[in-house]
Amino acid sequence: MADEQAQNATAPWSGAVIPMAGAGAASSVRIPVPGTQGLCIQLYAPGNFKNSTSTLFFVEDPGKKFGRQLRLDYGEQKLPNGSKAITYHWNQSKTLPTFGITNHTPVSGAAPATYHAARYFRHGGRFLGVVGMAVDAVSIVQADKPLRRATEVVAGWAGAWAGCKVVGAGGATAGFWAGSEAPLVGNAIGAGLGGLGGCIIGGGVGYFVGSTVAGVVYDWAEDTRFRPLIISSEAEVRAWLRGEGH
């Protein structure tokens, strides 16, 4: 009965955190894009490049400011006629063979909406992640079995990060190929949307699976009692020692 009460007390908390975990993971995790020789989707500028006007990045090395990368930008662009204009466009370095996008390529269609969605989600997703962690911290304090709940929380967030990467990678691959067939989307936008969407779903599922499995394992370990294979009396032990010459 006590176990059921503990589970019932924590279930609403964990249920509320599942979408927060997915959003938090997607806004922070580097999502691998299979088939791109190491490029990953991320929403933060590489190399601590502050004040960047780009919002969606495909980056190989997050520590390099100008490494191999493709980024969706909104800012001043030099036009072929020599004039300048504020446009949505791609900036790239050494990713032309992967995406077929040249540097300073103007974009339209789904790209502008994706640019702003990535911008807002970068902050909103992290905020939801922080709120989810705070909710989990409160749930540990209020749980009938704090250690059990803490085990669920740690395993849940670890599962969220893992699920985000795995499902996000699959979503990026699917989005890449689907976007290639849609003129108003393109392979880069398709990969970005597919990767982030898959990461949100995978993060939520990973949190649920991780926390659930951790709770089951904790209950099993707590309720399990191990017994010796052989229970011998003191007289039997002494007789065995005499037989061995002790």
Side-chain angles (χ1 to χ4, degrees):
M1 180 64 70
D3 289 342
E4 292 181 359
Q5 291 175 349
Q7 292 174 1
N8 292 335
T10 59
W13 289 105
S14 58
V17 172
I18 288 175
M20 297 181 190
S27 63
S28 304
V29 170
R30 297 185 73 236
I31 307 167
V33 185
T36 60
Q37 294 76 51
L39 292 175
C40 293
I41 302 168
Q42 60 188 58
L43 299 180
Y44 48 92
N48 295 321
F49 184 28
K50 297 181 179 180
N51 301 321
S52 173
T53 53
S54 300
T55 60
L56 179 63
F57 300 84
F58 297 85
V59 179
E60 181 178 23
D61 186 348
K64 291 183 179 180
K65 180 177 178 181
F66 297 113
R68 181 168 170 261
Q69 63 178 273
L70 174 70
R71 54 192 177 92
L72 182 58
D73 194 17
Y74 177 70
E76 187 176 87
Q77 179 187 11
K78 187 175 181 179
L79 302 178
N81 61 8
S83 62
K84 295 181 179 180
I86 304 297
T87 64
Y88 295 96
H89 59 274
W90 289 108
N91 292 322
Q92 71 90 28
S93 175
K94 302 178 182 179
T95 60
L96 178 60
T98 301
F99 291 100
I101 299 174
T102 58
N103 202 27
H104 304 305
T105 299
V107 294
S108 57
T114 303
Y115 175 91
H116 291 289
R119 177 183 179 183
Y120 295 129
F121 183 72
R122 177 172 57 192
H123 302 291
R126 289 182 180 180
F127 173 77
L128 289 176
V130 171
V131 172
M133 291 180 182
V135 170
D136 270 343
V138 173
S139 73
I140 294 174
V141 175
Q142 293 188 345
D144 295 336
K145 294 185 177 181
L147 183 57
R148 180 185 190 277
R149 181 60 189 147
T151 303
E152 290 179 329
V153 168
V154 172
W157 283 100
W161 254 246
C164 175
K165 281 184 171 290
V166 172
V167 182
T173 300
F176 182 97
W177 294 111
S180 299
E181 302 299 323
L184 295 179
V185 179
N187 54 19
I189 294 296
L193 294 176
L196 290 172
C199 186
I200 293 173
I201 296 172
V205 172
Y207 180 94
F208 174 77
V209 172
S211 61
T212 300
V213 171
V216 171
V217 172
Y218 182 93
D219 291 338
W220 173 83
E222 184 182 47
D223 296 336
T224 300
R225 298 292 182 269
F226 295 96
R227 296 180 179 178
L229 294 178
I230 299 176
I231 302 177
S232 301
S233 66
E234 183 178 354
E236 291 172 329
V237 173
R238 289 181 180 276
W240 178 84
L241 290 175
R242 286 195 298 271
E244 295 293 324
H246 297 289

